[in-house]
């Protein structure tokens, strides 16, 4: 631990700027099963599963069907231990052992003295250890109790069953217990950083809150609220500087007696606002907040990164129900995006780069909002930082999903503390748009038949609902009100179940008539609510994802491993049923993966276009789900390896700023122009045969206001199709903006893909490796869903695209291959080739 001592001393050298010395305690950890002799090296932050894996005690939990064989891990208790050195300094006031996260039931000892017991993965645990610390060597020991056992024991104490099983008693990520896209690994461990925090000043800053009050072009009025621990009465000055140019933005002086919260007004002239993606730049300011005791004894500085913006959830009664949309800096926003789940079962191994990459991908796919879903975890700082930078608004659920929860005093206090800590941690992020109580708890209670299924009588039902109300209508909104006053709170997503009429008239809706209800994709055109916060359709992950979990020769739809990596009870059957309605069922597994992804893309295209076509009635579309937590067939558009599925490209197109949408309504074909921003557009429509024979072409000019959907063309089906064979036709709608740039190209077919009279396309290409681009040239026959693949290191700027007869397209790519490798590995196929097999 020499390293640690050096760190301790060197940190003390800069005490003038910091009131707390933080010494990471991530070295020299070991772990073992409680009761066993042998210690093994451990990683902190980490989990017991990844530690067992690193020590070769278990196989890769994601490989094959290993998940099944690893369920013993959570039935046992585990302990972790580490030694560190400590040399007391005279100026040290209080010393804390700070765990940013312990998963979950931990008993913590320092030098064999019990410091405390923890029971919430979502809280930080800080133990004062000033008296327990010894000079020289100290030993931390943490015993983790089986969360499943604890949960089951708690369940037994109730005289009714709470839907959601043992997990509802434990404040731990619900998806650890398995989900309809997730493996079950009820892991444990020191999952977040741990450090020694040494307070050396009279004033300790607990946190700063940044608040934007008013915004004009000339000035932003804001304030910084500083919550301080005060050891002894003093006078202090708080100054707020713009870090970039060191200009003073505001200051305040106070006489303080005890712990307090102080407000400093801040004024920023000619402010640059924070905008979400597509609406402007997400400008961020770094503010230096300096707290000094007067006359200057100690000076401490902390930086906070903030955006100047106001955000409001607007719900106004109208003739049809009640609106539901966000206003950013006073401007209405159409929310476009996805639901986000934890990107791994074992979160400590997720890198900062991975969070950034995922958020950048969301931005590149024209999204402006992600919903952090309530069955996972409150995400890492890196995720929110990336959202701040990318202009991605965050709909933040509290971590409750699809279950009912206990309402005893201890549980409620635990939840209140968790919520307080998380709201304080996240509220300064410009991206935070909404706090939402839970995912589908209210919907489930009212619509999923739990009372009957679990045989819950009237009295118990009343008591369960009473507990629901205390958490989601009292505790959580009160925390948001107290600690993040301007941000809206929404008790449950969705407000009403999708089977209810009201769900389309007010609030947000999870529309699962497609997939769960087995309705056809065309129903997306009818079932449109005010804000579509969930809807989705599954597909298979990339072939690379499969290659990582099984031997190549074993990959097939019948493979027990492929089946194991599908968690929805009827997932493959549902995909297959929909697939047969639209596509010819391919024989080869590779083709099946490809077509399943096309199918998902088609569904998302129909849904997103329908939601945007119906603005401003509908003002949000967040599909289920952006990403995966392991290699699995699921609703995601990015698989576990972050490889975009076909749907990801379809979604990117459908979410772009201005698009066209073609709809068959009764006996008419209609073309809509949909735009986020006001502008003048040229629409070109071409009806032609798949062999390139043009039937007609027309173009028209249109002006559209912001957030509009305009009907720009309609024609009777009989007239449009005349005597042509619809299986041979494609209608192409091209939108050009004022600058002459092509804003969108949409291909509409009059029959399902399986019924199209596709002929073998002849596709040529030229590679410009130096400029990392490839130009695809199509021959006479229409090519549907042209798919380029090389390997997992190669990504194309667009993929799975249609090319009309004679059409060409230039596509950029990134790759780790040399030119010759790239050329050798490049494969191009289209839907037609899957017909032949
Ligand atoms: C939703 C989500 C998840 C689930 C998904 C797919 O409603 O909230 O609970 O994984 O449906 O079934």
């Amino acid at each position: 631990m020499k390293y640690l001592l050096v760190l301790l001393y060197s940190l003390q050298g800069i005490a003038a700027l910091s009131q707390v010395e933080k010494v990471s305690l991530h070295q020299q950890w070991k772990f073992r099963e409680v009761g066993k002799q042998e210690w093994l090296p451990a990683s902190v932050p980490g989990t017991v599963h990844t530690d067992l894996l690193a020590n070769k005690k278990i196989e890769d939990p994601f490989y094959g069907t290993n998940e099944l064989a690893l369920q013993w891990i959570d039935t046992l208790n585990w302990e972790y231990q580490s030694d560190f050195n400590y040399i007391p300094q005279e100026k040290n006031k209080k010393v804390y052992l700070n765990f940013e996260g312990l998963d979950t039931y931990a008993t913590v000892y320092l030098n064999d003295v019990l410091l405390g017991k923890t029971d919430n993965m979502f809280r930080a645990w800080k133990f004062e250890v000033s008296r327990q610390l010894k000079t020289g060597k100290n030993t931390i020991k943490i015993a983790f109790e089986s969360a499943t056992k604890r949960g089951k024991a708690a369940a037994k104490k109730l005289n009714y069953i709470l839907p959601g099983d043992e997990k509802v008693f434990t404040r731990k990520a619900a998806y650890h217990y398995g989900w309809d896209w997730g493996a079950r690994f009820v892991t444990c461990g020191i999952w977040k950083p741990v450090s020694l925090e040494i307070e050396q000043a009279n004033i300790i800053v607990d946190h700063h809150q940044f608040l934007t009050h008013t915004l004009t072009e000339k000035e932003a009025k804001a304030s910084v609220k500083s919550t301080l621990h005060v050891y002894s009465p003093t006078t202090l000055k708080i100054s707020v500087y713009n870090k970039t140019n060191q200009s003073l933005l505001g200051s305040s002086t106070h006489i303080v007696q005890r712990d307090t919260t102080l407000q400093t007004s801040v004024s920023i002239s000619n402010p640059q606002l924070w905008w979400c993606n597509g609406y402007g730049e997400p400008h961020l300011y770094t503010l230096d907040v300096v707290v000094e005791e007067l006359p200057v004894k100690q000076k401490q500085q902390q930086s906070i990164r903030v955006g100047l913006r106001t955000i409001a959830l607007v719900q106004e009664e109208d003739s049809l129900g009640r609106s539901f949309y966000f206003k950013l800096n006073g401007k209405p926003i159409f929310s476009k995006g996805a639901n986000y789940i934890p990107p791994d079962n074992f979160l400590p191994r997720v890198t900062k780069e991975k969070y950034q990459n995922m958020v950048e991908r969301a931005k590149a796919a024209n999204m402006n909002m992600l919903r952090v879903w309530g069955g996972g975890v409150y995400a890492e700082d890196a995720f929110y930082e990336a959202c701040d930078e990318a202009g991605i608004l965050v709909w933040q659920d509290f971590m409750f999903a699809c279950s009912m929860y206990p309402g005893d005093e201890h549980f409620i206090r635990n939840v209140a503390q968790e919520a307080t800590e998380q709201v304080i941690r996240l509220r300064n992020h410009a991206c935070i748009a909404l706090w939402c109580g839970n995912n589908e708890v209210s919907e489930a209670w009212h619509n999923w038949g739990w009372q009957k299924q679990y045989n819950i009588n009237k009295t118990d039902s009343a008591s369960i609902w009473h507990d629901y109300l205390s958490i989601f209508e009292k505790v959580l909104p009160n925390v948001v009100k107290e600690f993040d006053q301007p941000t809206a709170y929404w008790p449950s997503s969705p407000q009403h179940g999708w089977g209810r009429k009201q769900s389309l008239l007010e609030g947000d809706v999870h529309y699962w008539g497609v997939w769960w209800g087995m309705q056809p994709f065309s129903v997306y055109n009818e079932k449109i609510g005010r804000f579509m916060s969930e809807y989705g359709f599954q597909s298979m992950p990339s072939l690379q994802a499969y290659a990582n979990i099984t031997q190549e020769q074993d990959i097939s739809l019948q493979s027990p491993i492929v089946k194991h990596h599908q968690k929805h009870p009827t997932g493959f059957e549902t995909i297959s049923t929909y697939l047969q309605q639209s596509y010819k069922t391919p024989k080869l597994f590779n083709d099946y993966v490809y077509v399943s992804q096309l199918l998902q893309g088609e569904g998302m295209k129909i849904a997103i276009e329908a939601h945007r076509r119906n603005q401003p009635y509908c003002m949000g579309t967040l599909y289920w789900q952006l990403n995966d937590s392991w290699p699995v067939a699921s609703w995601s558009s990015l698989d576990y390896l972050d490889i975009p599925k076909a749907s990801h490209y379809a979604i990117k197109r459908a979410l772009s700023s201005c698009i066209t949408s073609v709809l068959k309504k009764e006996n008419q074909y209609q073309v809509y122009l949909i735009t986020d921003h006001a502008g003048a557009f040229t629409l070109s429509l071409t009806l032609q045969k798949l062999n390139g024979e043009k039937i007609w072409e027309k173009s028209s000019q249109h002006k559209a206001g912001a957030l509009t959907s305009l009907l720009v063309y309609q024609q009777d089906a009989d007239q449009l199709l005349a005597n042509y064979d619809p299986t041979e036709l494609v209608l192409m709608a091209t939108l050009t903006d004022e600058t002459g740039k092509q804003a969108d190209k949409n291909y509409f077919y009059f029959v399902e893909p399986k019924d199209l009279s596709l002929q073998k396309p002849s596709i040529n290409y030229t590679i410009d490796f130096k400029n990392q681009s490839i130009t695809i040239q199509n021959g006479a026959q229409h090519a549907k869903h042209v798919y380029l693949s090389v390997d997992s290191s190669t990504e194309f700027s667009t993929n799975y695209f249609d090319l009309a007869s004679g059409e060409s397209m230039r596509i950029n790519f990134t790759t780790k291959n040399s030119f010759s490798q790239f050329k050798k590995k490049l494969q191009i196929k289209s839907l037609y080739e899957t017909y032949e097999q």
Side-chain angles (χ1 to χ4, degrees):
M1 272 288 117
K2 261 195 205 128
Y3 157 79
L4 209 149
L5 278 177
V6 172
L7 194 70
L8 221 64
Y9 287 126
S10 61
L11 281 173
Q12 280 155 8
I14 54 154
L17 285 182
S18 160
Q19 73 283 9
V20 181
E21 301 310 342
K22 229 177 151 176
V23 183
S24 287
L25 300 177
H26 294 164
Q27 309 297 320
Q28 298 189 9
W29 282 90
K30 52 190 185 178
F31 82 113
R32 66 182 175 190
E33 186 192 327
V34 171
K36 289 270 162 69
Q37 284 301 311
E38 189 198 8
W39 285 102
L40 294 166
S43 292
V44 168
T47 68
V48 70
H49 286 77
T50 40
D51 285 333
L52 288 166
L53 179 64
N55 284 283
K56 300 200 165 51
K57 295 290 173 193
I58 59 169
E59 303 271 324
D60 177 359
F62 291 172
Y63 193 85
T65 57
N66 287 349
E67 179 197 0
L68 299 173
L70 297 177
Q71 296 302 317
W72 53 272
I73 299 171
D74 71 69
T75 65
L76 302 176
N77 300 329
W78 299 91
E79 58 187 349
Y80 281 72
Q81 189 169 304
S82 164
D83 296 334
F84 67 94
N85 277 338
Y86 174 73
I87 309 291
Q89 300 287 303
E90 212 163 278
K91 58 185 162 191
N92 292 0
K93 286 184 184 282
K94 282 187 180 169
V95 186
Y96 294 90
L97 193 54
N98 186 18
F99 295 93
E100 288 179 35
L102 290 169
D103 178 10
T104 291
Y105 294 111
T107 309
V108 183
Y109 302 88
L110 180 66
N111 302 325
D112 289 328
V113 178
L114 175 70
L115 296 180
K117 292 183 173 226
T118 77
D119 58 1
N120 191 329
M121 171 186 185
F122 307 121
R123 285 172 58 183
W125 299 88
K126 211 164 160 170
F127 303 102
E128 207 210 316
V129 291
S130 316
R131 280 183 304 118
Q132 290 85 347
L133 270 174
K134 292 195 288 200
T135 302
K137 185 181 148 192
N138 288 266
T139 303
I140 315 176
K141 193 166 103 187
I142 306 173
F144 289 98
E145 244 180 284
S146 157
T148 30
K149 283 194 178 156
R150 278 285 290 261
K152 281 182 182 150
K156 269 199 192 133
K157 286 189 196 145
L158 277 188
N159 52 10
Y160 48 81
I161 295 176
L162 277 182
D165 306 320
E166 79 269 23
K167 69 175 182 292
V168 306
F169 299 92
T170 301
R171 294 306 299 144
K172 174 174 172 60
Y175 82 108
H176 283 181
Y177 296 80
W179 214 264
D180 59 5
W181 39 258
R184 182 187 185 282
F185 292 112
V186 189
T187 196
C188 69
I190 306 166
W191 78 292
K192 291 214 166 187
V194 46
S195 60
L196 209 56
E197 289 191 3
I198 306 163
E199 294 185 352
Q200 296 174 328
N202 185 36
I203 307 290
I204 304 293
V205 177
D206 196 55
H207 53 259
H208 297 296
Q209 179 182 15
F210 179 79
L211 289 159
T212 306
H213 300 298
T214 57
L215 292 173
T216 65
E217 249 179 58
K218 285 213 165 105
E219 189 190 16
K221 285 194 173 154
S223 64
V224 173
K225 266 188 181 175
S226 307
T227 298
L228 310 171
H229 294 306
V230 177
Y231 275 106
S232 61
T234 188
T235 303
L236 59 83
K237 186 176 172 194
I238 301 175
S239 315
V240 182
Y241 298 90
N242 181 345
K243 193 182 181 79
T244 321
N245 55 15
Q246 282 307 308
S247 61
L248 180 67
L249 305 174
S251 68
S252 61
T253 307
H254 314 262
I255 299 171
V256 294
Q257 307 291 335
R258 60 189 76 84
D259 291 0
T260 183
T261 296
L262 305 169
Q263 181 153 337
T264 309
S265 299
V266 164
S267 158
I268 299 173
S269 40
N270 305 319
Q272 285 177 275
L273 305 193
W274 185 90
W275 286 104
C276 65
N277 187 27
Y279 287 75
E281 288 305 308
H283 189 85
L284 294 169
Y285 286 84
T286 304
L287 307 184
D288 282 342
V289 187
V290 177
V291 180
E292 54 194 317
E293 268 191 274
L294 297 177
V296 181
K297 286 184 194 145
Q298 255 167 335
K299 199 171 173 178
Q300 304 156 25
Q301 182 183 309
Q302 277 184 11
S303 296
I304 49 176
R305 212 163 58 136
V306 300
L308 299 176
R309 59 101 179 102
T310 57
I311 182 125
L313 171 65
V314 184
Q315 294 191 80
E316 280 161 356
E317 304 285 335
D318 55 29
S319 60
L320 301 158
R322 197 175 329 117
S323 68
F324 190 103
Y325 69 95
F326 293 91
K327 261 190 184 171
L328 180 62
N329 302 326
K331 204 172 161 180
I333 299 290
F334 189 102
S335 300
K336 302 187 293 189
N339 285 270
Y340 164 88
I341 62 165
D344 205 311
N345 272 86
F346 310 111
L347 289 169
R349 69 182 177 182
V350 181
T351 61
K352 191 172 175 176
E353 290 68 42
K354 166 130 180 157
Y355 290 111
Q356 285 167 341
N357 176 40
M358 285 169 60
V359 172
E360 274 158 25
R361 281 184 182 281
K363 178 183 180 180
N366 300 310
M367 300 185 199
N368 61 24
M369 181 177 270
L370 290 174
R371 169 172 173 244
V372 177
W373 169 76
V377 300
Y378 305 91
E380 289 292 319
D381 291 343
F383 170 83
Y384 300 98
E385 284 162 13
C387 289
D388 285 345
E389 283 164 16
I392 300 290
L393 292 161
V394 172
W395 169 313
Q396 178 68 50
D397 282 4
F398 285 97
M399 292 303 120
F400 300 88
C402 307
S403 309
M404 299 312 288
Y405 293 86
D408 59 89
E409 214 188 306
H410 179 79
F411 189 86
I412 296 278
R413 256 192 284 121
N414 200 357
V415 164
Q417 183 58 30
E418 159 194 327
T420 304
E421 288 180 21
Q422 295 296 342
V423 170
I424 289 175
R425 177 171 78 95
L426 301 180
R427 66 186 173 186
N428 283 346
H429 287 282
C431 63
I432 296 289
L434 181 74
W435 292 98
C436 171
N438 66 66
N439 173 74
E440 295 183 351
V441 177
S442 169
E443 153 166 21
W445 182 250
H446 292 112
N447 302 293
W448 292 4
W450 277 344
Q451 295 76 356
K452 212 170 154 197
Q453 184 187 345
Y454 294 98
N455 209 4
I456 309 171
N457 66 31
K458 275 216 165 108
T459 323
D460 294 339
S461 279
S463 146
I464 292 172
W465 188 244
H466 169 269
D467 292 344
Y468 172 94
L469 293 177
S470 36
I471 297 176
F472 302 109
E473 298 284 359
K474 282 195 203 120
V475 174
L476 297 180
N478 285 345
V479 168
V480 173
K481 200 164 158 206
E482 188 174 349
F483 296 100
D484 192 16
Q485 172 74 60
T487 308
Y489 173 81
W490 182 241
S492 186
S493 179
Q495 180 171 18
H496 303 286
W498 59 267
R500 304 205 175 240
K501 218 168 115 199
Q502 280 300 96
S503 71
L504 303 182
L505 305 178
E506 61 180 11
D508 66 324
V509 54
H510 294 184
Y511 194 74
W512 285 104
V514 175
W515 182 268
W516 282 98
M518 296 301 288
Q519 295 165 341
F521 288 154
S522 57
V523 170
Y524 280 137
N525 289 317
E526 295 149 32
K527 301 289 184 175
I528 294 159
R530 313 311 296 252
F531 192 106
M532 312 298 293
S533 46
E534 272 189 28
Y535 57 92
F537 195 85
Q538 276 201 358
S539 69
M540 326 271 289
S542 65
L543 292 172
Q544 287 94 325
Y546 281 117
N548 284 359
I549 56 164
T550 183
Q551 305 285 337
E552 212 179 324
Q553 66 271 17
D554 294 343
I555 308 184
S556 76
L557 268 184
Q558 285 68 44
S559 144
I561 293 172
V562 169
K563 285 187 181 161
H564 185 76
H565 289 250
Q566 160 65 276
K567 292 296 186 180
H568 186 273
T570 58
F572 283 141
E573 288 89 323
T574 303
I575 294 176
S576 157
T577 306
Y578 277 83
L579 197 144
Q580 285 168 42
Q581 286 159 15
S582 296
Y583 292 88
K584 296 183 183 174
T585 301
K587 292 204 179 67
L588 296 178
F589 184 78
N590 291 6
D591 287 340
Y592 198 89
V593 168
Y594 160 78
V595 175
S596 81
Q597 294 192 5
L598 300 179
L599 176 70
Q600 180 194 30
E602 186 59 20
M604 295 304 93
K605 174 184 192 281
I606 293 171
I608 294 171
E609 286 186 9
H611 303 156
R612 295 186 67 192
R613 213 168 44 231
N614 283 279
Q615 60 188 309
Y617 182 82
C618 174
M619 284 292 278
T621 184
L622 310 178
Y623 66 92
W624 183 266
Q625 70 207 62
L626 180 69
N627 58 319
D628 280 336
S629 57
W630 75 314
V632 67
S634 84
W635 299 263
S636 72
S637 67
L638 296 173
D639 72 10
Y640 176 63
L641 303 175
D642 289 340
I643 295 177
K645 298 179 178 178
S647 63
H648 200 75
Y649 297 94
I651 287 163
K652 176 180 175 177
R653 187 227 133 237
L655 291 180
S656 63
S657 166
C658 34
I659 57 164
T660 62
S661 175
V662 186
L663 175 72
K664 180 158 191 222
K665 201 168 182 191
E666 283 137 30
N667 194 33
Q668 290 223 311
Y669 286 101
Q670 302 182 325
V671 180
Y672 288 80
L673 188 165
I674 301 163
T675 179
D676 288 344
H677 304 295
F681 302 91
T682 305
L683 170 76
S684 310
L685 293 175
T686 306
L687 183 71
Q688 70 179 34
K689 292 191 179 171
L690 298 178
N691 65 9
E693 194 184 313
K694 270 202 181 78
I695 297 170
W696 54 254
E697 231 175 341
K698 45 184 110 227
S699 84
S700 51
Q701 313 291 325
H702 305 275
K703 280 204 163 122
L707 297 180
T708 45
S709 164
L710 287 180
L711 176 60
V712 284
Y713 173 83
Q714 61 180 336
Q715 182 64 277
D716 281 351
D718 302 345
Q719 279 180 22
L720 188 76
L721 297 176
N723 296 323
Y724 301 110
D725 175 358
T727 71
E728 287 181 355
L729 291 183
V730 55
L731 175 67
M732 294 182 290
T734 311
L735 205 56
T736 315
D737 69 15
E738 281 151 76
T739 66
K741 203 175 124 226
Q742 183 176 306
D744 184 42
K745 181 149 189 183
N746 199 355
Y747 299 79
F748 181 83
Y749 304 89
F750 298 86
V751 295
E752 294 293 342
K754 65 173 176 175
D755 299 322
L756 277 176
S757 305
L758 291 173
Q759 302 297 320
K760 188 173 175 57
S762 82
I763 294 170
N764 287 311
Y765 60 88
T766 47
I767 304 169
D768 178 355
F769 199 72
K770 202 167 129 235
N771 292 309
Q772 307 260 284
S773 81
I774 179 167
T775 302
I776 308 287
Q777 175 67 51
N778 191 22
Q781 290 299 334
H782 194 89
K784 194 150 173 52
H785 298 306
V786 178
Y787 172 49
L788 315 181
S789 67
V790 173
D791 60 15
S792 59
S793 85
T794 307
E795 197 170 321
F796 295 92
S797 54
T798 186
N799 217 335
Y800 306 92
F801 47 86
D802 293 358
L803 277 185
S805 164
E807 204 174 3
S808 70
M809 189 184 305
R810 192 178 146 171
I811 297 156
N812 298 322
F813 60 80
T814 51
T815 187
K816 288 198 176 132
N817 291 281
S818 66
F819 182 38
S820 62
Q821 288 169 328
F822 181 91
K823 240 180 16 192
K824 216 164 111 194
K825 292 190 212 164
L826 176 67
Q827 288 185 1
I828 301 184
K829 74 172 172 192
S830 73
L831 187 64
Y832 177 81
E833 281 78 56
T834 70
Y835 286 9
E836 289 181 317
Q837 307 304 325

